[in-house]
Every structure is written in C-alpha cells, then in structure tokens.
Amino acid sequence: MCGIVGFINQNNHLNKDDLLVMLDKIQHRGPDNLSISIQNNVYLGHARLSIIDLNSSSNQPMQYKHYTIVFNGEIYNYKEIREKLQEEGHIFKTQGDTEVIIHAYEHWGEKCQSYLRGMWSFVIYDKEKNILFGSRDRMGIKPLYYIRKDNFLSFSSEIKPLLGLEKNLKPNMSVVSTYLLTNLMNYDNQTFFQNVYQLEGGSSFKFDISSGKFEINRYYDLAESIKNKRESTTSDFNKVLDKSFEIHVQSDVQVGTCLSGGVDSSTVTAKVSSILKNDNIKSITAKSISKETDETKFAKIVADHLNIDWHVVEPDYEYFKTNIEECLYYQEEPVGGPSIFMQYAVMQEAKRQGIKVIMDGQGGDETLLGYERYYSWMLSDLIRKKKIIPFVKEFPRIVKNSKLGYIDLLKQYVYFNNFKLRVKHLKKRHINMKEIYSDLAVDNFRKLGYENKNLEELQILELTKTNLPTLLKNEDRNSMLASIEARVPFVDHEVIETSLKLPLKNKINKGYTKFCLRKYLESMVPKTISWRRDKKGFEAPTDIWLKEHMEVMKKYINESSLLKEIYTVLPELDNISDKEIWKLYNLAVWEKQYLSK
C-alpha cells in the first residue's frame, strides 16, 4: 500500500521541485521510501509502505525494459500470475507484486487488468510508445485522481497534491449541493473541486503524450459480469469467502483487525484469527462514551472467545475537539457524519500498536442486504412480483429480528419506495436552499434512478455509485493517514458477484439480514454475536459531541461564504437535526481548509 503522484510536463512550466512537493503531501501513505523518476517530460513519484517483499529492490518507481510503473495496492493472486508468466519465459528479480503487474502489462497489454485480483491504482509509462496507462481496481478500493487540461495530465492517490497545480480553485457546486441535500458523494467521476476528477472503479485511462489524446475505458462492469451467471448456493458463497480471507491475510508485517462486535467485523476477526492461528493478531475496538451507541460488550465477547490481543480506544469530546479538523483535512472532501472519527481513532490506536495491515468488514452490508432500508426494497420486490402472502408474513418476522417496530417499518417502506416523497422531504429539510442548487441536487439524485430499480439493481447502485465508494474512500484516508494498509475481504469482486447471485432467502430470512453470513459465522463465535439484531458499527456519540461542539460549529457556519451563497438565509441550527448541522459545519471547515487561501 502506497501513494503515487505524477504529471506530464509539456510546456516546461513544472519541474522536479513540483514533483517533490506533491510527493511530500502524501508521504504518510508510504513513509518507508520516497523515490522519483524523471524521463523526458514524464515525472513520476512514489511513497512506499512496505507490506510484501520488504526488500529495497521492490521500491518504486520500478523500471523494466522501456516500462516504468508506480503502483498503490495489493495484488493477492500475484504468485499465480507470476507462475503463468514464468512459463511464458518471463524472468523476475523480486518477490513482490509490482514487478508482476509490469510483466503482465508487457505480456497482455491492457487486458492484464482482467487477470488481477486485488485492490490497486497504478500508472505505467511506456517510453517506446510514449503513452501513460492508468488503472483502478474493479470496485474502486484504491483511489486515483487526476487533472486533465489541453495537453496536460497530472494524477495522484489523493487530491491534495493536485491542488497546487490548479491555480484557480473553485468548489464544484453540483457536488456540494447534492451532498447538502441528499448526503450522497462519490456517485460519479466528479469531486468537490472543479476540474479535479477521480478515475472510477473498474476503469482505466490511456494518454498519448505525443498527440495529447486522452481516453477512459471501462474494463469491468458489475451488472454485466453477473448478467449470465447461474444462481449461487451457500456452498459457493462459503467457498469464495474462504478463499478471499486466505489471500487477504498475506503479509510480511503485523496484521490486525477492526472489531466492533457486529456480524461483519466479528467474521473478519474470527477468520483471520483462525487462518493465522492467533499468531501476531491484534484487534482494535472504538468504545463510545454514549451507552446507546457503545458496542464494547459485544466486541469483548468475541475477543475473549477467540483469545486475541484486544485493544480498546475511547475517544472523548476533548480528543474529538483536538483532532476532528485533522481528520477532516485528510479526508479532503466533506463526509457523511462524525462516526468517521471513531474509525480515525481506531486507526490511530492501530498505529500505536504497530499494526501495518488491518482487516475490516466494509462491503458486507451492501452485498448481503445488511441495512434496514433493504427491508423496504425487499418488500417492494415482493409486491412487484405479486407475492402478497410472503409480503404480509415478512412484516412480523422483520419486527421480531431487527430494531424496527411496525410503525417504523411501515414509515420506511412508504418513504424509500416513493421517490417524490423523498425529494419533498429532502427539500423541506433545506427550505432556504436556493432553487438553482436544490434543482441541481435533485437532478443528480434522479439520475441515479433509485425509483426504477429492483433489489439487485439497487444493490449494484449502492456497491458502485453511492454507499460503498464513500465508505472505501473514508477508510482509505483514515488508514493511510496512520500509514496502515486497510484490506476489505468482502469487497473482493468474486465475493460480491457470488453474493449478488444468491437467492433472497440467503440474504434476508425470517427477518434476519445477512442470513448466510450469520450461518457462516455461527460456528466460530457465540450466537449472541452471530445472531445479533441491534446493528450499530462504531457509531459516534453524536448527540454528546455536537452539543459540546456547538459554539465552534456555529462560528464556522456563520463565517462561511460558501453556505451564504447556497442559502437565501442560513438554516436555524436549533431547528434542524444533528445530521444536517454536521454537514453545514463540515462544509464550512472544508471551505476554510481548502478554498480560503
């Protein structure tokens, strides 16, 4: 896991010092080695976090023949690919995965992407053809941002290094207004900054330096990949998940896990512990100071049962106050809520414990219908298929085995299945937002097509456009700030494809979400964990923190020129929810950190 930067210096308006400045801004991503390569007008930089093959021969930028690569991520099947290439006559000098990618590119060209299993963003300079080729993994686990103007191209693992190359920084008002109204982010290639884009998951770019031609291609489409696949079985699911865990634990350094005590994190911790035989395993839990959001008792049950080295961090308000702006700065764009700070605290504690690779449960909810809103869409699917009796039977089952009561479930069903109602509700919460901006936000929301999708299509939308991309981005920033590689075995593309093709009864059964995963887990931990009904997940004590932080937030909000541009009158903070206050505050902090210079 590392950080990469680079640019094409067409008009000699940039130099080596500019590259070093860019690299310095991401050195937290790879403090083990910082190196650069300058060939003709192609400038490449790499910050290395050594995880596999710790030898300096695997440092980057790495050259092979007329190819130079900078790579961020892990290729979990690199040994198998290396064997295939060796059979074709390729000779390797290192034991790492970076060299495998560059040989794979030489052998298969752009098709090499389809052979890779893992998480990555990489850029290869082909000196002979004078082109740059960049790629991002199928699900977009590892980030890749770029600026493209005329004959100029720059790229980076984070946004900050690019901002110094953009002289006239402006907010992307389409993204900003959509965030405020709907809380949606990362739903396309745009960012909160004008002219700064992200390469979307499952995509690659090719830049012909001689002609200036720049093109983006999609090499992987989740919907297309599962279109003709047969229905999965629980045996298929168990097998592919076992394989994912086996390949994700490969490491030459300390491995740890995030442990909330929920189904996903408990599965990760139990499997990692089982595979590595408790060798060198540490787990980190964030304890909430609010009894309503604290899950420590569940995490303790798992830790005691598995007999692992368990560490608890309990961020109080003073810790929040001292560190929240650093957390937000390194996120680079506004985030959905203060719970991200619990993850920040976990990663900082993991760093103190010497962990360099941490396993997490992101993706389990999106693939196996773990969120409460999926009940509403499941019920809607039953109605669409005219399955009235199953529809009626599901209501008491859901109420029995979830946190929802009948009234709450009915409200959610009506709300999530009525797009016009959702839009009306969202606009009502932002009654003073100028029409030009609320219309922008609603248009972006409508384009996602929530109102016209069946349950599988909604899962694909949340996996590729709305929910998971944001969670992955947040975790990347929090983990890399602590110089830690975060791995997400549920986001392996084979796990996702297999999960999507499971029958509904394997995902929601008798009111239980993630049914097949609970069955997978129940032999490894006590049933009080595998059959938990009160889903949380490192929730922050939002009501406590924001109440204490109110004066600070008011100051930021009242001083924000951006918010004054968006609203005819700034919202009355006493009349809106904590969630809406947070977004106003977060956007005001972002404005001050990145635009007020």
Side-chain angles (χ1 to χ4, degrees):
M1 190 67 63
C2 312
I4 63 177
V5 295
F7 56 79
I8 308 300
N9 189 18
Q10 290 288 58
N11 301 312
N12 295 316
H13 67 293
L14 298 174
N15 55 40
K16 177 182 176 181
D17 289 340
D18 295 299
L19 182 65
L20 292 174
V21 169
M22 291 177 72
L23 193 57
D24 181 66
K25 290 180 179 178
I26 60 163
Q27 63 175 318
H28 53 278
R29 297 185 71 92
D32 296 330
N33 181 261
L34 301 176
S35 297
I36 63 172
S37 166
I38 300 175
Q39 300 177 67
N40 300 328
N41 57 352
V42 178
Y43 289 61
L44 304 175
H46 188 266
R48 184 184 181 195
L49 182 65
S50 304
I51 302 295
I52 300 290
D53 187 14
L54 308 185
N55 195 290
S56 61
S57 61
S58 283
N59 287 347
Q60 302 176 47
M62 181 181 288
Q63 284 190 248
Y64 166 68
K65 294 185 179 179
H66 53 274
Y67 305 103
T68 306
I69 186 172
V70 284
F71 160 55
N72 166 34
E74 297 290 348
I75 307 301
Y76 299 121
N77 64 336
Y78 76 97
K79 292 179 181 178
E80 293 92 327
I81 298 173
R82 185 171 60 195
E83 287 177 6
K84 286 182 182 179
L85 292 170
Q86 284 173 329
E87 291 172 1
E88 298 291 334
H90 288 258
I91 299 173
F92 293 87
K93 297 179 180 179
T94 72
Q95 298 301 310
D97 51 356
T98 306
E99 189 182 15
V100 170
I101 298 174
I102 203 168
H103 278 259
Y105 180 74
E106 179 194 37
H107 193 77
W108 292 301
E110 295 176 25
K111 292 181 180 178
C112 70
Q113 298 166 105
S114 65
Y115 290 85
L116 306 179
R117 184 175 182 178
M119 54 182 184
W120 71 81
S121 62
F122 65 78
V123 174
I124 294 174
Y125 171 47
D126 184 337
K127 189 174 182 180
E128 191 173 88
K129 294 182 178 179
N130 203 28
I131 64 170
L132 275 185
F133 175 73
S135 174
R136 191 176 181 195
D137 66 75
R138 293 172 182 83
M139 302 308 299
I141 304 170
K142 291 295 101 190
L144 188 57
Y145 297 93
Y146 65 92
I147 291 177
R148 166 82 179 107
K149 284 185 177 180
D150 301 320
N151 253 10
F152 177 74
L153 174 70
S154 59
F155 64 87
S156 174
S157 293
E158 295 186 5
I159 296 174
K160 289 187 293 297
L162 300 176
L163 300 182
L165 307 178
E166 184 64 23
K167 294 182 180 179
N168 189 21
L169 273 183
K170 292 182 179 179
N172 184 330
M173 297 304 288
S174 176
V175 174
V176 168
S177 57
T178 302
Y179 162 73
L180 282 172
L181 193 74
T182 70
N183 209 36
L184 292 174
M185 300 153 277
N186 294 288
Y187 47 84
D188 59 16
N189 70 333
Q190 297 186 74
T191 71
F192 277 76
F193 299 90
Q194 268 191 26
N195 301 321
V196 179
Y197 300 92
Q198 63 170 332
L199 185 67
E200 294 184 86
S203 298
S204 62
F205 72 72
K206 185 163 65 175
F207 181 58
D208 188 314
I209 299 170
S210 301
S211 68
K213 183 181 179 182
F214 179 78
E215 59 184 26
I216 293 176
N217 297 298
R218 178 166 289 279
Y219 69 88
Y220 179 79
D221 184 286
L222 179 56
E224 287 296 318
S225 70
I226 66 170
K227 184 180 289 185
N228 297 316
K229 282 200 169 188
R230 66 170 176 83
E231 188 173 83
S232 303
T233 65
T234 53
S235 177
D236 295 329
F237 173 76
N238 293 344
K239 185 184 294 185
V240 75
L241 191 55
D242 280 343
K243 178 63 175 178
S244 183
F245 279 113
E246 287 170 11
I247 61 177
H248 274 77
V249 298
Q250 300 174 91
S251 174
D252 294 328
V253 296
Q254 170 80 62
V255 175
T257 72
C258 300
L259 177 60
S260 69
V263 173
D264 298 336
S265 70
S266 297
T267 302
V268 170
T269 302
K271 282 300 295 183
V272 171
S273 176
S274 172
I275 295 170
L276 298 182
K277 310 298 183 187
N278 290 333
D279 180 35
N280 223 21
I281 298 299
K282 294 183 178 183
S283 285
I284 313 296
T285 297
K287 178 178 173 61
S288 174
I289 57 176
S290 168
K291 290 182 180 180
E292 288 74 20
T293 57
D294 182 38
E295 293 186 279
T296 312
K297 65 178 181 180
F298 296 107
K300 186 178 189 305
I301 291 171
V302 177
D304 289 346
H305 183 79
L306 299 175
N307 192 30
I308 56 176
D309 188 2
W310 182 51
H311 300 265
V312 179
V313 58
E314 185 175 4
D316 58 13
Y317 170 67
E318 284 304 315
Y319 184 76
F320 173 83
K321 180 182 177 181
T322 302
N323 295 285
I324 184 57
E325 290 187 25
E326 177 188 68
C327 174
L328 295 178
Y329 175 75
Y330 280 93
Q331 285 294 323
E332 302 183 313
E333 299 175 288
V335 299
S339 287
I340 192 175
F341 191 74
M342 300 294 274
Q343 187 185 64
Y344 167 91
V346 165
M347 295 303 176
Q348 292 298 315
E349 179 61 24
K351 181 178 183 178
R352 285 190 286 272
Q353 295 299 328
I355 295 171
K356 290 189 78 172
V357 170
I358 199 157
M359 308 279 279
D360 201 3
Q362 301 287 16
D365 288 314
E366 290 78 9
T367 54
L368 296 169
L369 302 180
Y371 297 119
E372 290 175 347
R373 62 179 176 271
Y374 289 133
Y375 288 129
S376 301
W377 292 327
M378 178 200 72
L379 292 168
S380 178
D381 252 21
L382 292 175
I383 290 292
R384 185 183 289 114
K385 296 171 182 176
K386 299 181 180 179
K387 296 183 177 181
I388 307 302
I389 294 176
F391 174 87
V392 173
K393 286 183 176 180
E394 282 302 323
F395 267 84
R397 292 170 178 171
I398 292 169
V399 170
K400 180 181 178 182
N401 292 315
S402 76
K403 293 186 297 183
L404 297 176
Y406 281 104
I407 300 299
D408 292 330
L409 178 57
L410 187 60
K411 284 180 177 178
Q412 285 199 9
Y413 174 74
V414 172
Y415 178 74
F416 285 112
N417 287 293
N418 189 323
F419 184 75
K420 289 183 179 179
L421 179 64
R422 292 181 73 179
V423 169
K424 184 178 180 180
H425 175 70
L426 293 171
K427 282 191 169 185
K428 187 177 181 180
R429 291 195 308 192
H430 295 268
I431 193 72
N432 295 326
M433 182 179 283
K434 292 178 183 176
E435 190 174 356
I436 185 175
Y437 298 122
S438 63
D439 286 349
L440 263 178
V442 170
D443 189 47
N444 287 331
F445 191 29
R446 182 176 287 108
K447 286 176 182 176
L448 291 170
Y450 268 99
E451 73 272 35
N452 298 316
K453 298 185 183 299
N454 62 35
L455 190 55
E456 183 181 276
E457 291 169 337
L458 283 163
Q459 281 189 266
I460 292 172
L461 175 63
E462 298 214 328
L463 281 161
T464 60
K465 291 288 185 183
T466 57
N467 212 62
L468 186 60
T470 297
L471 294 174
L472 292 173
K473 181 252 181 184
N474 293 345
E475 181 159 59
D476 173 81
R477 298 304 191 280
N478 272 333
S479 61
M480 294 311 296
L481 172 59
S483 303
I484 291 172
E485 173 175 298
R487 296 182 179 178
V488 282
F490 288 115
V491 190
D492 173 81
H493 75 281
E494 293 193 15
V495 172
I496 289 175
E497 290 175 9
T498 302
S499 300
L500 285 174
K501 298 305 291 185
L502 283 168
L504 178 60
K505 66 180 181 180
N506 296 131
K507 300 174 189 177
I508 297 180
N509 193 317
K510 299 176 183 177
Y512 283 105
T513 61
K514 297 185 285 195
F515 191 77
C516 60
L517 185 61
R518 294 174 187 272
K519 298 289 287 184
Y520 181 87
L521 176 63
E522 68 178 354
S523 64
M524 294 183 274
V525 299
K527 290 187 176 182
T528 50
I529 301 300
S530 57
W531 297 98
R532 271 189 68 184
R533 296 177 294 178
D534 55 336
K535 176 178 174 55
K536 294 178 184 176
F538 284 160
E539 286 186 22
T542 302
D543 54 343
I544 297 174
W545 284 353
L546 297 197
K547 183 178 180 180
E548 295 262 11
H549 209 56
M550 189 57 69
E551 290 307 310
V552 175
M553 293 193 296
K554 283 181 178 178
K555 184 175 186 297
Y556 270 101
I557 292 168
N558 289 331
E559 292 177 355
S560 170
S561 299
L562 182 56
L563 291 175
K564 290 172 184 175
E565 161 60 27
I566 295 169
Y567 293 94
T568 55
V569 178
L570 287 178
E572 288 286 339
L573 301 191
D574 294 336
N575 298 326
I576 60 177
S577 68
D578 287 346
K579 185 176 182 179
E580 301 308 318
I581 294 172
W582 167 266
K583 287 192 289 185
L584 296 171
Y585 162 66
N586 195 170
L587 193 65
V589 171
W590 174 77
E591 176 189 3
K592 185 172 183 179
Q593 290 178 334
Y594 283 102
L595 302 180
S596 302
K597 295 180 180 179

